[in-house]
Amino acid sequence: ITINPAPVAPSITSAAPAAGTVGAAYSHSYTASGTAPINFALSSGALPPGLTLTAAGVLSGTPTTAGTFTGTVAATNGVAPNASQPFSITINPAPVAPGITTQPALETVVTAGATATFTAAASGVPSPTVQWQLSTDGGASFANIGGATSGSYTTPATAASDEGRRYRLVATNASGTATSAAGVLYVYVAPTI
């Protein structure tokens, strides 16, 4: 006489799916304990466009649309109760290399002691980090300005140290780097009688 074990209802053991990126191959494998065979299927909600789920629990494909997609995946094997696991999959936009969308003014003229402001803007996905740089050798080489990591850089101008300095913005993300044209600061000293 052979006594078989009682069938066991399924229980999903895999973690929830991770985020993905438009245009990048995606794969996640669902796993479950319980009496085999166990089949997986979407029971509610919607998968990200471009992804499919097989009965074996493989969620794969190439996402085509950015956004957050929610739903529930169920695991069944004919033994009640069925198992389910909710998901919330964020598909990030495809990376875009940074670009300078607003160049700093090529010439900024102030009088000594006044405030000079350089402004530029950059685009890209993910949003690039920006860094202002300064050159004192006519623009052959540049060095980062400490703390100048926003869209504009403001400096009080003195005739002795700022005349002819060149400023530029550098934008960087995972896809590359973009550099603005160098703007030149001219400092004029007001005449005195």
Side-chain angles (χ1 to χ4, degrees):
I1 299 174
T2 300
I3 305 298
N4 295 315
V8 178
S11 177
I12 296 177
T13 56
S14 53
T21 301
V22 170
Y26 183 95
S27 182
H28 172 81
S29 294
Y30 282 95
T31 59
S33 61
T35 301
I38 298 174
N39 293 316
F40 295 87
L42 180 69
S43 61
S44 67
L47 295 172
L51 300 187
T52 58
L53 177 65
T54 68
V58 178
L59 175 63
S60 63
T62 301
T64 60
T65 306
T68 299
F69 304 86
T70 60
T72 302
V73 168
T76 61
N77 64 355
V79 181
N82 297 332
S84 64
Q85 184 185 75
F87 64 82
S88 178
I89 304 173
T90 298
I91 303 299
N92 298 306
V96 177
I100 303 298
T101 56
T102 304
Q103 295 282 358
L106 293 182
E107 293 185 4
T108 298
V109 180
V110 297
T111 56
T115 298
T117 300
F118 295 85
T119 302
S123 63
V125 177
S127 295
T129 58
V130 297
Q131 172 68 59
W132 280 96
Q133 295 184 333
L134 169 67
S135 175
T136 56
D137 61 2
S141 61
F142 287 82
N144 290 348
I145 301 172
T149 56
S150 64
S152 62
Y153 174 67
T154 301
T155 179
T158 61
S161 62
D162 286 319
E163 174 70 32
R165 285 195 173 190
R166 293 178 181 269
Y167 293 82
R168 72 180 186 182
L169 184 77
V170 177
T172 304
N173 68 11
S175 296
T177 299
T179 304
S180 69
V184 184
L185 174 63
Y186 294 100
V187 182
Y188 291 166
V189 178
T192 58
I193 297 176

